[in-house]
Amino acid sequence: MAGTKIEISGPKSLFSNEFLCNSTSLLNSRKRRTVEVRKPVAATAAFTGVQMVAKLIELDSIKVIPETPVQFTVSGQVTVEYDAMEQMKELMFNWWDSSKTTIDAQRGVFLQLVSSDIDPRTGKAKVSKEAILDWSRDLPINADKFVTHEVQFLVEGKFGVPGAILVTNKNSKEFYLKSITLEGCLHFDCQSWVQPEKLHPEKRIFFTDKAYLPNETPMGLRELREKELRELRGNGEGVRVLSDRIYDYDVYNDLGNPDKGLEFARPVLGGQRRPYPRRCRTGRPSTKSDPKSESPVNETTPMYVPRDEAFGDEKKRSVDAGSWKGMMNNLFPFFKSSSESDSVNSFADINKLYKESRNHSNFPVESTADAFKFDPPNIVSRDASCCLRDDEFGRFTLAGMNPISIERLKVFPPVSKLDPSIYGPTQSALREEHLISHLDGMSVQKAIERKKLFTLDYHDAFLPFLNSINAHPDRKAYATRTIFLLTQMGTLKPIAIELSLPSTNPFKPSKQVITPPVDATTCWQWQLAKAHVCSNDSGAHELIQHWLRTHACMEPFIIAARRHLSAMHPILKLLHPHMRYTMDINARARELLISAGGIIESLFSTKECSMEITSFAYKNWRFDMESLPADLIRRGVAELDPTESHGIKLLIEDYPYANDGLLIWSAIERLVKDFVNYYYPDSNSIRSDPELNTWYYESINVGHADLRHESWWPNLSTPKDLVSILTTLIWISSAKHAALNFGQYHYGGYVPVRPSYMRRLIPNEDDPEYQNFISDPEGYFLSSLPSLREMAFLMSMLEILSTHSEDEEYLGDRKEHSTWRGTPELIEAFYRFSMEMKAIEKEIEKRNSDTKLRNRCGAGVSPYQLLVPSSEPGVSCRGVLEQLNVFAEEDISEAAEAFNDVSLNIVTLLSHLRTIFVLQCFSSNASLLIKVAAQGEQGGAAEAIFSGREKIKLAHFYDCLQDVVRY
């Protein structure tokens, strides 16, 4: 008997865990439910013509019922960031707008699933119907930081596996989309701000966590992959606004403000004359005085970084209490300078800035006098003289805040590479007679052959700029060279310091050599010479080693990665944790730290020449020398040796930075090698990846355009090449940066040992100041240092920069591996890497207790911990972050404003600080405060939500403030 099938469709749960996690074909193979309609269809002779026609019509009406495809519901969980204050505003808005009784059809968040498969009828990817989320009338009062909302999608039976989600925000404000999960196991790690449709009408595209190389992208996602990248690329036009996600390049033309005056004009960095890496373009209009300079940040044109590169709310709120204390520490010298001289009269004046003993708690129960003082740096061993000892001087070059400038001396006397027609003779003033008595019986040539002489050479870096620096009445500097002898104990001993000035008088020597002291006069000359070397080293560390080599030179690689590596690309997924926040940090540095009249120019010897010095240094920057082994070999402190565990042999066996760094470098290299070999088994797979090759090409030819023709750029042709490039990038952003950044307070926080600038040169016998120096050498030394007020500001900045916040992720501590779900080989590689970091931490602790290693263990010698992977919050002098640190730039800015505003009423200042403290201390109870406010409760009810510990902190802090006000 013949029959006709009629489909009955209806909503049904589409995905099971088994479907999403183990199958990609269940959806297409699921049988549709049918009902068979049985009817006799054989015609008989008894039918009349009219009856036959009627029967045919009846049968035809059954047959022409169109097949309706089965539809299924897909359950999803959408997790968004919850902002208590913003939600409270929204809640109040909804209460006031009580006349609105129906949900606005144009309000909410609209989501669509996109299949990985192509619809054969249209040739386009299959798209689900829109699902709508409207949380405006369901605002959780006691929500955590992130809130999860349920959503239901309706899809057809042959939809296939979802590979992307389209999101449209029809609300009036942006929101942070953390993640979307379908049926509990198909994950979309979004981590992005979604702008209102009225600002950005394009639908946002989010892909699943599964990584795909370009040629492996599912057919349904290929067009979206290309579309997403097109939307991220700029064209060099237009003013960028804070809601944009545009990545484009520009030169450093935003450091000055010529409209404010000629003294605030700064040259453009980037181009043939002053080569420099490129930054992210902002598009702000030009200044009126100079069309080549970009106007400074103001209220109408704030500093732009692509929205997803900006600090998240958690980062802004997670500033450690120690950073706020950094601002308060300025109060002591602020009060002192308001009532009396700000000069340093004795070492006791400096020591009063510090507490008697270090207390690691954030708000210890201490005397009122100590409430506004600094914790003493625990690295510097301060003795009765309060000056830098020779052994510490040598140790800091190997295990201090700048351990990457020391080089082996290969030619004696040293020879300058500067143009002699401009900067004078290239010959050094150093001679064998300066060194011979300190070489343990060796000649200079023999010591060089035995690889026993090392140098800290800042001659060429500073000499071209000394005339500009020394023109300032409160800045005096030399271009220094220091010679060290490697002793039998494995330590470095300074044996000569050359001090050079520009040649201005042919009858007066421009170079002098200071050697270790033999009497009282030469003792103080030696101390002054070491202080000038440390001043050079402070500037070189902050500007060249830290800013240029770990911040500025990284930004082009990040911009190119965002422009050309899809969010689906495995290399972007690998690099993303190490690139996070770098662009925002760099942008804020341009605004606050390295700008004209900024913190660097105010606190370091280099003044307005600061950024030109980095441009001068960039000419000699080489990416192929930025890997740790290559850098050690280039500086002559290591040699190739295949018999050694890391392939190189250190010529200074007890070199803490190098020894610990090689452990981390090798671990990163092994992880990257496992990763690269998984996705790129051969050279052909490298060549066939257009996104990868375009990223690397543009990083060099656009991001580092001024050096693009250099022959030293590494090739990208083989998996081995890629391993080297990626390992170097990860090393720079994690371990190298940690070694240069997180020790700044403990190594530089005691200014007499490491001044950021000097105010007086060393007097010669025919100088008018020589008699003052002879009569009061200690007073002369102290008068050469920054003022108490400037010391406090410097220490505050260094403390803030050295601080770890509570939510930072450390190398090997990544807990989220959903990106690599389905690839057990990679999950295992990350697990091994995590275990290696723990083993490295134990090995470093073991080394720090080895009495044979005198550069990290001994009486009064603090252990070298900067490359210990983990850390507690605060100023710990340890901890290797996955990315460059998020410094508390708001703190630095407010500290600078409070510091420089001498007319600020003290009581008002204290009131502001108390308010800041209260907000910081109780920010974690924001949702409870909102609940109290929403319920109309006051007084005791609000007070009840505070813990006893918080009340004690507040009471103690308030008492301290009252004492100071009375004072």
Side-chain angles (χ1 to χ4, degrees):
M1 181 179 292
T4 301
K5 294 183 179 179
I6 301 178
E7 293 186 353
I8 300 177
S9 65
K12 185 177 179 66
S13 179
L14 172 61
F15 298 155
S16 65
N17 287 344
E18 178 185 3
F19 169 77
L20 283 175
C21 301
N22 302 320
S23 172
T24 59
S25 59
L26 181 59
L27 181 59
N28 293 332
S29 63
R30 185 185 289 268
K31 294 182 178 179
R32 294 173 294 182
R33 295 184 296 154
T34 61
V35 175
E36 188 174 84
V37 181
R38 301 175 183 272
K39 291 185 179 291
V41 295
T44 65
F47 285 153
T48 64
V50 174
Q51 290 174 322
M52 180 62 71
V53 170
K55 177 58 65 178
L56 291 174
I57 291 174
E58 178 184 353
L59 292 175
D60 187 64
S61 66
I62 296 175
K63 291 180 179 180
V64 298
I65 295 177
E67 290 191 358
T68 303
V70 173
Q71 293 181 321
F72 297 92
T73 58
V74 179
S75 297
Q77 294 78 41
V78 180
T79 302
V80 300
E81 183 174 305
Y82 175 81
D83 187 314
M85 296 302 296
E86 290 300 320
Q87 294 292 61
M88 187 62 186
K89 293 177 185 177
E90 192 76 11
L91 181 63
M92 297 300 297
F93 175 80
N94 288 339
W95 285 347
W96 292 332
D97 193 17
S98 57
S99 61
K100 190 172 184 179
T101 57
T102 59
I103 297 177
D104 188 347
Q106 295 304 312
R107 186 173 185 170
V109 177
F110 290 64
L111 305 100
Q112 288 179 284
L113 298 181
V114 181
S115 174
S116 299
D117 299 334
I118 290 290
D119 188 333
R121 296 169 299 178
T122 63
K124 300 284 186 180
K126 302 174 184 178
V127 180
S128 74
K129 294 182 178 180
E130 288 184 329
I132 304 176
L133 275 180
D134 186 358
W135 53 69
S136 62
R137 294 182 175 273
D138 184 24
L139 302 178
I141 295 297
N142 290 322
D144 295 327
K145 178 190 172 186
F146 293 104
V147 178
T148 299
H149 301 273
E150 299 291 330
V151 65
Q152 300 287 327
F153 297 93
L154 199 61
V155 301
E156 296 183 357
K158 295 184 178 181
F159 187 80
V161 179
I165 294 181
L166 305 180
V167 180
T168 304
N169 178 14
K170 297 193 177 184
N171 292 323
S172 60
K173 296 181 179 179
E174 66 175 6
F175 72 94
Y176 187 78
L177 180 58
K178 183 177 186 290
S179 64
I180 302 174
T181 303
L182 301 181
E183 295 292 338
C185 65
L186 186 58
H187 192 69
F188 297 75
D189 186 27
C190 305
Q191 305 285 354
S192 180
W193 291 93
V194 181
Q195 301 301 322
E197 185 182 36
K198 63 183 181 182
L199 294 180
H200 295 274
E202 304 87 359
K203 294 181 179 181
R204 286 295 310 277
I205 305 166
F206 296 100
F207 299 103
T208 62
D209 286 352
K210 183 174 175 57
Y212 292 102
L213 293 175
N215 59 2
E216 297 172 348
T217 309
M219 294 299 297
L221 305 179
R222 294 193 173 187
E223 183 177 342
L224 289 180
R225 181 171 185 147
E226 296 172 0
K227 181 176 185 293
E228 169 74 356
L229 286 174
R230 286 197 302 270
E231 292 176 354
L232 295 174
R233 296 177 195 139
N235 58 3
E237 299 177 358
V239 178
R240 301 272 66 86
V241 295
L242 296 182
S243 60
D244 285 347
R245 297 169 58 241
I246 302 299
Y247 296 80
D248 209 346
Y249 301 93
D250 206 346
V251 294
Y252 279 71
N253 61 349
D254 62 340
L255 302 178
N257 184 9
D259 291 346
K260 192 176 178 180
L262 186 61
E263 66 271 24
F264 291 96
R266 296 294 180 269
V268 174
L269 303 184
Q272 185 176 4
R273 184 178 179 186
R274 294 183 180 90
Y276 218 68
R278 298 304 188 256
R279 63 171 175 92
C280 182
R281 181 183 175 277
T282 65
R284 294 196 302 273
S286 301
T287 61
K288 297 177 181 178
S289 305
D290 181 7
K292 294 182 180 180
S293 296
E294 190 172 86
S295 59
V297 170
N298 54 50
E299 292 182 359
T300 58
T301 56
M303 179 61 74
Y304 167 78
V305 292
R307 186 64 182 96
D308 289 338
E309 303 292 336
F311 296 159
D313 290 340
E314 180 66 21
K315 284 294 180 186
K316 294 177 181 178
R317 290 191 293 261
S318 65
V319 178
D320 189 80
S323 297
W324 296 111
K325 289 175 66 181
M327 286 175 55
M328 294 186 289
N329 293 147
N330 282 288
L331 290 176
F332 184 83
F334 179 86
F335 298 148
K336 191 174 186 300
S337 65
S338 299
S339 59
E340 57 185 84
S341 173
D342 190 28
S343 62
V344 183
N345 298 315
S346 68
F347 284 106
D349 289 343
I350 300 173
N351 292 337
K352 287 178 182 178
L353 297 174
Y354 303 92
K355 300 172 186 176
E356 290 298 323
S357 61
R358 182 171 180 81
N359 193 318
H360 291 276
S361 60
N362 289 330
F363 291 94
V365 178
E366 57 196 8
S367 67
T368 300
D370 277 353
F372 299 96
K373 292 185 178 182
F374 291 90
D375 289 322
N378 62 3
I379 297 300
V380 177
S381 304
R382 289 179 290 155
D383 58 16
S385 71
C386 296
C387 292
L388 180 62
R389 300 198 313 259
D390 285 1
D391 62 303
E392 285 186 329
F393 187 26
R395 180 163 58 87
F396 288 168
T397 65
L398 303 174
M401 65 189 290
N402 180 20
I404 64 174
S405 291
I406 189 71
E407 299 182 358
R408 181 162 57 88
L409 185 65
K410 301 175 183 178
V411 176
F412 188 85
V415 178
S416 171
K417 297 179 181 178
L418 298 175
D419 186 346
S421 64
I422 300 175
Y423 302 107
T426 60
Q427 291 80 14
S428 168
L430 286 162
R431 295 294 180 265
E432 182 151 356
E433 56 265 26
H434 294 128
L435 310 183
I436 193 66
S437 61
H438 305 284
L439 297 182
D440 298 333
M442 295 181 289
S443 66
V444 172
Q445 186 59 36
K446 183 62 69 175
I448 290 176
E449 292 173 359
R450 293 183 179 179
K451 301 170 185 176
K452 296 293 185 180
L453 292 180
F454 294 83
T455 181
L456 204 60
D457 192 341
Y458 294 123
H459 179 276
D460 289 4
F462 279 83
L463 190 66
F465 307 96
L466 287 184
N467 283 331
S468 296
I469 293 172
N470 292 335
H472 294 272
D474 63 341
R475 293 293 193 278
K476 293 295 178 281
Y478 296 98
T480 66
R481 283 191 183 108
T482 307
I483 307 298
F484 295 89
L485 173 71
L486 180 62
T487 69
Q488 295 179 356
M489 294 182 294
T491 60
L492 290 182
K493 175 185 176 182
I495 58 176
I497 297 174
E498 181 184 29
L499 306 173
S500 299
L501 293 171
S503 299
T504 56
N505 185 345
F507 301 102
K508 185 176 181 179
S510 60
K511 305 174 189 289
Q512 61 176 314
V513 176
I514 308 292
T515 55
V518 295
D519 55 28
T521 300
T522 55
C523 178
W524 282 105
Q525 290 174 334
W526 181 245
Q527 293 297 344
L528 283 166
K530 287 189 292 185
H532 275 282
V533 174
C534 289
S535 174
N536 274 187
D537 191 63
S538 293
H541 160 264
E542 204 67 69
L543 290 168
I544 300 173
Q545 312 295 19
H546 186 192
W547 161 254
L548 176 66
R549 293 177 64 180
T550 69
H551 283 267
C553 288
M554 282 289 291
E555 187 160 347
F557 291 97
I558 298 172
I559 298 173
R562 297 300 190 187
R563 287 166 54 90
H564 295 291
L565 295 179
S566 165
M568 308 172 75
H569 202 290
I571 299 303
L572 184 69
K573 291 178 180 290
L574 175 68
L575 290 178
H576 172 69
H578 308 287
M579 302 188 304
R580 197 180 332 177
Y581 304 127
T582 298
M583 293 179 66
D584 199 338
I585 293 171
N586 290 0
R588 294 171 188 268
R590 298 199 310 273
E591 180 182 357
L592 298 170
L593 293 178
I594 61 176
S595 57
I599 292 174
I600 295 297
E601 291 190 2
S602 300
L603 295 179
F604 290 84
S605 64
T606 47
K607 294 294 281 187
E608 73 276 3
C609 305
S610 297
M611 295 306 290
E612 285 191 83
I613 288 175
T614 65
S615 173
F616 195 75
Y618 178 64
K619 297 175 182 179
N620 297 315
W621 177 83
R622 292 180 52 163
F623 180 72
D624 63 327
M625 294 288 108
E626 288 298 298
S627 74
L628 179 58
D631 176 57
L632 295 172
I633 293 171
R634 176 189 64 83
R635 292 190 282 119
V637 295
E639 296 176 334
L640 287 173
D641 188 343
T643 65
E644 294 288 330
S645 57
H646 303 290
I648 63 173
K649 178 183 178 181
L650 293 176
L651 300 180
I652 305 174
E653 293 183 7
D654 182 15
Y655 188 173
Y657 163 77
N659 283 305
D660 297 353
L662 286 170
L663 294 177
I664 296 178
W665 168 271
S666 297
I668 295 173
E669 188 176 43
R670 283 189 289 271
L671 172 65
V672 173
K673 186 176 181 180
D674 290 341
F675 188 91
V676 168
N677 289 340
Y678 180 85
Y679 287 102
Y680 300 95
D682 51 40
S683 298
N684 183 60
S685 58
I686 296 286
R687 292 191 295 269
S688 61
D689 186 340
E691 289 183 8
L692 179 71
N693 285 280
T694 306
W695 160 66
Y696 189 58
Y697 177 86
E698 187 173 282
S699 297
I700 297 171
N701 289 275
V702 182
H704 288 279
D706 301 329
L707 301 179
R708 66 185 182 277
H709 297 304
E710 299 292 340
S711 59
W712 46 255
W713 281 103
N715 293 321
L716 178 54
S717 303
T718 67
K720 184 178 180 181
D721 296 337
L722 183 57
V723 169
S724 177
I725 293 167
L726 296 178
T727 303
T728 300
L729 292 174
I730 295 173
W731 160 259
I732 293 172
S733 63
S734 57
K736 181 177 181 179
H737 179 265
L740 293 170
N741 183 76
F742 290 110
Q744 291 192 76
Y745 179 72
H746 284 310
Y747 287 107
Y750 187 65
V751 178
V753 165
R754 189 179 175 84
S756 59
Y757 69 86
M758 298 289 284
R759 296 195 289 182
R760 306 177 84 172
L761 297 174
I762 303 174
N764 296 315
E765 293 184 5
D766 55 348
D767 290 333
E769 292 186 324
Y770 187 75
Q771 288 304 317
N772 294 333
F773 166 69
I774 292 297
S775 61
D776 184 11
E778 180 178 309
Y780 190 92
F781 181 88
L782 292 172
S783 67
S784 300
L785 301 176
S787 67
L788 281 178
R789 195 160 170 260
E790 291 163 330
M791 286 185 188
F793 191 17
L794 173 67
M795 290 186 290
S796 295
M797 186 197 74
L798 296 179
E799 186 175 35
I800 291 169
L801 291 173
S802 303
T803 298
H804 287 293
S805 61
E806 294 184 356
D807 63 338
E808 291 176 335
E809 291 186 359
Y810 297 93
L811 200 62
D813 196 32
R814 195 186 310 181
K815 298 178 177 63
E816 182 56 63
H817 293 301
S818 61
T819 299
W820 319 117
R821 184 176 297 167
T823 54
E825 299 92 336
L826 296 183
I827 293 178
E828 183 181 351
F830 280 103
Y831 177 78
R832 285 197 304 269
F833 181 71
S834 180
M835 293 300 101
E836 282 193 80
M837 290 301 105
K838 291 179 172 58
I840 289 172
E841 187 161 328
K842 292 181 179 179
E843 175 62 23
I844 293 175
E845 291 175 357
K846 179 181 176 182
R847 292 174 176 179
N848 284 334
S849 60
D850 187 347
T851 57
K852 297 179 182 178
L853 303 178
R854 298 174 184 267
N855 289 318
R856 63 197 310 161
C857 182
V861 176
S862 296
Y864 184 75
Q865 297 180 309
L866 283 173
L867 292 177
V868 172
S870 68
S871 174
E872 297 296 325
V875 185
S876 63
C877 201
R878 58 182 284 168
V880 180
L881 297 183
E882 286 197 328
Q883 74 285 336
L884 306 187
N885 74 306
V886 182
F887 65 82
E889 72 293 331
E890 286 91 351
D891 291 359
I892 294 176
S893 179
E894 294 197 30
E897 292 173 3
F899 181 74
N900 290 318
D901 190 2
V902 180
S903 63
L904 185 65
N905 181 276
I906 292 176
V907 177
T908 303
L909 174 62
L910 293 173
S911 176
H912 291 332
L913 289 172
R914 177 177 176 272
T915 301
I916 289 170
F917 171 80
V918 173
L919 293 174
Q920 178 70 16
C921 188
F922 300 140
S923 62
S924 60
N925 291 303
S927 61
L928 292 177
L929 289 171
I930 288 176
K931 182 178 181 180
V932 170
Q935 293 177 351
E937 299 180 6
Q938 297 178 353
E943 185 181 2
I945 68 175
F946 302 135
S947 69
R949 176 177 171 81
E950 291 168 333
K951 292 177 182 177
I952 292 173
K953 290 180 181 179
L954 179 59
H956 174 66
F957 185 78
Y958 183 74
D959 288 344
C960 292
L961 292 178
Q962 292 297 323
D963 288 345
V964 174
V965 170
R966 285 193 294 270
Y967 170 77

